[in-house]
Amino acid sequence: MVGIFWDCDGTIMDTERLYAYAWQTHLKQFGLNISEEEIRQFVGIDDRIVHSFYSDTVNLDDFDNTMLSLGKIIQESLNDKIIYNDAKALLKQIYDLDIKQACVSASPQGLLHKKLQEVEIENLFEYIIGGDMVKRNKPYPDIYNKAIENLQTTKNIIIEDSPTGIQSGKESNNYVLAVNRGIFSEDKLNQADLVVDQLSLGIINKILKTL
């Protein structure tokens, strides 16, 4: 049985920069100014690690309250233009083919659901899991292992956009398709089995023939 496992931020939605903006805005309230380049080092990383890192510098609220604040900032900026057209089209095509899909994100579960609801694609997934639902988030394979176990699929394609996510997918011993969104250089994506500039059903079908 085939399963397609999607990362969210940067893969389905153009939210990597929005994520950086949310952290910048939140930390500014505590008198800390950071650059987008600085926060980019945390793309695809567990928010618990980011929170711990900046808590050593400023007196942040606890993790849950910080995530609520970030969620509000992100939600205020979300709209239907934030979703990548190629991802949206492929999601619907795969759904119409009755192939199982899961959304597997390093973001906290609550925030992940809000993002998927906002762009009206939540119903396209049979399973949704955020990084706070596993003890070890990406780059560890636990989150993909749990999603695959839930869907009970044997031929799996993981779609990612970041080195952290690619590592997580590869360590789960599954095929990883990376989409280059221009955030990372190609050499940082080359751990994936295949790197493309745009997603399409044709690419998925070609991969499935090799699995």
Side-chain angles (χ1 to χ4, degrees):
M1 186 179 294
V2 174
I4 310 295
F5 298 82
W6 294 79
D7 170 54
C8 181
D9 299 307
T11 301
I12 297 174
M13 302 182 201
D14 187 11
T15 45
E16 302 287 26
R17 293 181 179 88
L18 182 55
Y19 171 87
Y21 168 75
W23 269 110
Q24 286 174 311
T25 302
H26 183 72
L27 290 172
K28 193 173 289 186
Q29 300 172 28
F30 295 86
L32 184 62
N33 293 304
I34 61 170
S35 66
E36 181 179 331
E37 183 178 358
E38 178 182 336
I39 197 65
R40 190 177 290 179
Q41 68 181 307
F42 296 113
V43 169
I45 297 291
D46 191 338
D47 281 302
R48 290 171 290 195
I49 295 174
V50 186
H51 179 268
S52 177
F53 179 85
Y54 285 112
S55 290
D56 289 340
T57 305
V58 295
N59 188 27
L60 289 177
D61 292 337
D62 63 32
F63 176 75
D64 289 339
N65 283 325
T66 298
M67 289 302 100
L68 284 173
S69 177
L70 292 180
K72 288 176 182 177
I73 296 168
I74 290 172
Q75 196 164 8
E76 287 171 359
S77 304
L78 282 174
N79 56 58
D80 58 0
K81 294 180 181 178
I82 203 99
I83 188 168
Y84 287 109
N85 288 331
D86 61 340
K88 185 176 183 179
L90 182 56
L91 276 164
K92 290 183 175 179
Q93 288 170 330
I94 294 172
Y95 178 81
D96 289 340
L97 292 171
D98 290 327
I99 294 175
K100 291 185 175 183
Q101 299 186 101
C103 188
V104 184
S105 174
S107 294
Q109 184 90 350
L111 178 55
L112 176 58
H113 275 283
K114 286 180 181 178
K115 288 185 286 190
L116 298 177
Q117 289 165 5
E118 191 69 27
V119 296
E120 300 180 345
I121 58 172
E122 187 181 34
N123 66 303
L124 301 179
F125 300 103
E126 289 200 23
Y127 185 66
I128 297 168
I129 182 171
D132 55 343
M133 303 302 290
V134 290
K135 187 174 182 180
R136 300 187 308 172
N137 202 347
K138 300 176 184 180
Y140 295 99
D142 306 30
I143 194 166
Y144 279 113
N145 288 338
K146 187 171 182 178
I148 291 166
E149 180 182 2
N150 185 277
L151 291 193
Q152 293 290 295
T153 51
T154 53
K155 293 184 177 182
N156 305 306
I157 299 175
I158 291 169
I159 307 178
E160 276 282 357
D161 78 300
S162 71
T164 302
I166 292 169
Q167 182 181 340
S168 177
K170 288 303 297 178
E171 290 190 7
S172 74
N173 296 315
N174 288 283
Y175 191 102
V176 177
L177 169 63
V179 56
N180 186 348
R181 298 299 193 192
I183 300 292
F184 300 99
S185 59
E186 287 191 18
D187 64 298
K188 290 186 176 180
L189 303 177
N190 62 16
Q191 189 183 354
D193 295 284
L194 177 66
V195 181
V196 297
D197 292 326
Q198 189 160 329
L199 300 170
S200 72
L201 184 59
I203 290 170
I204 297 297
N205 284 332
K206 286 182 180 178
I207 294 171
L208 288 175
K209 290 178 181 178
T210 68
L211 298 182

